[in-house]
Amino acid sequence: MKIQPVKGTRDFYPPQMAVRNFIVDGWKASSIRNGFVEYDGPIFEHLQMYQVKSGDEIVEQLFNFTDRGGRHLAIRPEITPTLARMVNKQINALPRPIKWFSVPRLCRAERPQKGRLREFFQWNIDIIGVEDVLADAEVVYCSLDYLRSVGLTSGDVVAKISSRRLLAALLKNIGIAEDKLESLYPILDKKTRIPVEAFVEMLGKEIDSTDTVQTVLKLMDVHLVDEIPDIVKLNEEAKVSLDELIQVFAYLRTMGVEDWCRFDMSIVRGLAYYTGMVFEIHDKAGDLRAVCGGGRYDNLLSDFGGPKVTATGMGMGDAVLEILLREKGLLRDDSLDIQKLDYFVACLDADLLDKAVNITAQLREKGHASNFSYKTGALKKQMKVADSMNAAKCIILGAEFKDSKQLVVKDMQTGEQELLDAESLFKS
RNA sequence: GUGGAUGUAGCUCAGUUGGUUAGAGCACUAGAUUGUGGAUCUAGGGGUCGGGGGUUCGAAUCCCCUCAUCCACCCCA
């Protein structure tokens, strides 16, 4: 009976595992370089946790089950609720600011398509407890710092940045009621993904005045902060949030990544919980889904029963990133080493196999990654194996050892070889 | 949940208007070469042609159903 892998999952054979490690190791290195510390939580949580901020529709989109005690549980589709739960629990003991990162494995019961799977990895960074938009800038910077570190340039990707706070102030200013905002965000978020007519039609269902719809339309196309006052008069709240956003860009300039960043009112994010800066990083060609997205969320911790503490963060999935890196030629299957050995011990005579195993064991004890050959004889074959295992050095046990306890140590890179006794080998 | 495309060896794919024992390249194993790696050549193993049913003397090929994959929509934390 043949059993197939589950829909939307991936098997990580060694070559794919090398790719995954390349991505995850890069994420972790960037996190550490930017001063974040790692955390993780359980892969399943109470289903209720995901209903708090997303409602009952979310149940359709995640994997949930009931345990033998009748508890309704769900495999985590995101890690932010877990983060909120964990931080809340120790909020008074944790030194501020909290700069945490994680690379959780997540599952969502969606239909797979390009850049979207049912099981994936997502890099998350969050800064909790810092009001200053400097923290928002740092989150954007850290995301870009990673993308830069793997070889992408400001010609490849762009960080589109906006502000929910500013957007809310402007919308209220043109006469849109506060309680309309929440249902409006998911529509505004679609702006760049759907035809203008469809967008206008959707807006029309939420907004009565066609003039207001047109104003919103103009507003969404704004890419320069100076243009905003031409469209909408700024009230006090709008002025403050605009200054805040300008300050984000000022910090990003200080950090040296202004070329990568652009103001874009059409970045809204569908989620209700964003309260301040929001951003997404896209490939410049715009062919792919967002590489990452995030922003400031001031109410999440309190939504999970904690105190009101401000936070800002982002998430980056591995699926879109991998597609982008391949498109840009920054990730090729043959460019990653699946295995690396310090030593491969070849053995020419069955009498010496015991010694070969012993030498390998001692090399391993010294911390050197080492393999011996299960087959003795034909050296050519063993050299091929040493090569395929990417061994830095090959030790050959043959006549020299029988005659004078000497090992042939061959440098696989240069091809040079020297004679050594076992003791001096272990010293190195 | 809706629509489109595609399923042949581990991978990438040939396979003529339906016709005998289903092929190639790469990969794998062994040998050419019993002490020297990335090359070349030779040989070998590996397939109920996604699964089931139907049409036919005969199906990888035609029809139906089903499953899976990919792509788009819905949704996107």
Side-chain angles (χ1 to χ4, degrees):
Chain A
M1 184 173 178
K2 260 192 200 164
I3 298 180
Q4 289 175 317
V6 175
K7 182 199 279 280
T9 63
R10 291 170 288 180
D11 291 327
F12 294 92
Y13 289 87
Q16 288 85 41
M17 196 64 208
V19 170
R20 182 177 133 191
N21 282 336
F22 167 74
I23 289 172
V24 171
D25 291 350
W27 283 346
K28 292 190 176 184
S30 293
S31 302
I32 290 162
R33 195 162 60 234
N34 283 269
F36 290 78
V37 294
E38 190 167 12
Y39 72 97
D40 199 359
I43 62 162
F44 49 86
E45 295 271 7
H46 290 287
L47 177 59
Q48 198 192 357
M49 224 170 76
Y50 304 109
Q51 293 168 308
V52 167
K53 73 178 197 203
S54 311
D56 290 336
E57 323 84 75
I58 205 77
V59 178
E60 309 280 307
Q61 290 161 47
L62 45 72
F63 291 99
N64 61 91
F65 59 99
T66 305
D67 75 2
R68 291 206 285 177
R71 282 173 279 263
H72 299 291
L73 306 177
I75 300 174
R76 62 185 179 191
E78 56 171 330
I79 202 170
T80 312
T82 301
L83 171 70
R85 183 176 60 70
M86 288 170 64
V87 170
N88 276 341
K89 215 169 151 185
Q90 301 195 357
I91 190 71
N92 293 325
L94 293 170
R96 311 274 184 95
I98 297 162
K99 286 178 68 175
W100 283 6
F101 82 96
S102 193
V103 183
R105 188 173 197 144
L106 307 174
C107 293
R108 295 176 187 176
E110 296 170 302
R111 182 162 292 196
Q113 52 190 285
K114 190 176 185 185
R116 199 165 75 173
L117 298 156
R118 287 185 155 191
E119 186 194 40
F120 56 96
F121 294 85
Q122 189 185 66
W123 176 36
N124 283 254
I125 59 173
D126 290 276
I127 301 175
I128 299 168
V130 179
E131 300 264 9
D132 195 326
V133 292
L134 178 54
D136 296 307
E138 194 180 16
V139 166
V140 175
Y141 174 81
C142 183
S143 313
L144 291 171
D145 182 47
Y146 164 73
L147 297 173
R148 185 172 56 188
S149 74
V150 289
L152 289 166
T153 68
S154 56
D156 299 318
V157 294
V158 55
K160 299 177 178 177
I161 302 167
S162 186
S163 165
R164 263 294 180 79
R165 189 180 171 191
L166 174 63
L167 179 62
L170 295 175
L171 292 176
K172 271 189 264 180
N173 227 13
I174 58 173
I176 294 170
E178 172 126 36
D179 57 8
K180 276 274 179 199
L181 294 179
E182 199 159 305
S183 54
L184 217 46
Y185 290 143
I187 298 169
L188 297 177
D189 188 52
K190 287 188 213 312
K191 163 80 170 61
T192 54
R193 293 195 289 264
I194 60 174
V196 186
E197 306 82 55
F199 182 64
V200 171
E201 196 191 326
M202 289 174 85
L203 283 180
K205 284 180 184 164
E206 297 290 331
I207 304 167
D208 299 331
S209 152
T210 43
D211 283 352
T212 310
V213 169
Q214 287 306 313
T215 308
V216 171
L217 211 56
K218 267 191 241 165
L219 201 54
M220 297 306 286
D221 281 328
V222 167
H223 290 269
L224 291 169
V225 289
D226 300 342
E227 293 172 357
I228 296 174
D230 299 339
I231 302 166
V232 184
K233 251 194 193 164
L234 300 178
N235 61 4
E236 203 45 43
E237 168 68 2
K239 276 181 194 160
V240 171
S241 37
L242 187 58
D243 285 346
E244 218 178 56
L245 190 58
I246 289 166
Q247 187 59 46
V248 171
F249 281 95
Y251 282 133
L252 288 165
R253 190 178 322 123
T254 303
M255 292 167 174
V257 291
E258 61 178 324
D259 291 349
W260 302 64
C261 303
R262 196 154 305 158
F263 170 60
D264 188 334
M265 276 306 276
S266 69
I267 297 302
V268 177
R269 310 285 290 159
L271 215 66
Y273 71 55
Y274 289 110
T275 52
M277 180 212 70
V278 284
F279 82 105
E280 288 176 5
I281 297 179
H282 289 259
D283 65 300
K284 267 204 165 159
D287 299 331
L288 304 173
R289 294 165 182 287
V291 176
C292 77
R296 182 166 291 264
Y297 51 98
D298 282 346
N299 303 320
L300 193 65
L301 270 73
S302 54
D303 286 347
F304 282 92
K308 194 163 163 59
V309 177
T310 185
T312 180
M314 75 92 202
M316 181 187 295
D318 67 325
V320 174
L321 177 67
E322 184 176 335
I323 294 168
L324 178 62
L325 292 179
R326 284 185 193 283
E327 278 184 4
K328 297 294 176 186
L330 298 170
L331 177 60
R332 286 174 295 113
D333 286 323
D334 57 9
S335 66
L336 298 171
D337 291 329
I338 291 166
Q339 184 172 30
K340 259 191 171 158
L341 283 182
D342 297 317
Y343 291 99
F344 183 86
V345 182
C347 178
L348 297 176
D349 195 319
D351 296 349
L352 296 171
L353 180 60
D354 216 50
K355 190 66 199 169
V357 173
N358 175 262
I359 287 171
T360 308
Q362 292 194 63
L363 285 169
R364 288 171 176 172
E365 192 183 343
K366 291 279 178 194
H368 301 297
S370 310
N371 263 343
F372 54 80
S373 174
Y374 280 99
K375 285 180 187 161
T376 56
L379 181 58
K380 189 179 180 104
K381 198 135 283 174
Q382 297 185 54
M383 293 297 292
K384 271 192 179 181
V385 174
D387 186 54
S388 71
M389 290 181 177
N390 220 349
K393 287 182 176 177
C394 184
I395 293 169
I396 303 164
L397 265 171
E400 299 85 347
F401 190 81
K402 285 190 170 177
D403 296 343
S404 56
K405 303 284 176 208
Q406 296 278 290
L407 303 167
V408 178
V409 180
K410 174 169 177 142
D411 186 308
M412 296 295 280
Q413 203 92 68
T414 63
E416 287 167 13
Q417 47 190 58
E418 54 179 343
L419 280 171
L420 282 178
D421 56 49
E423 283 65 36
S424 42
L425 172 68
F426 297 138
K427 265 181 224 158
S428 65

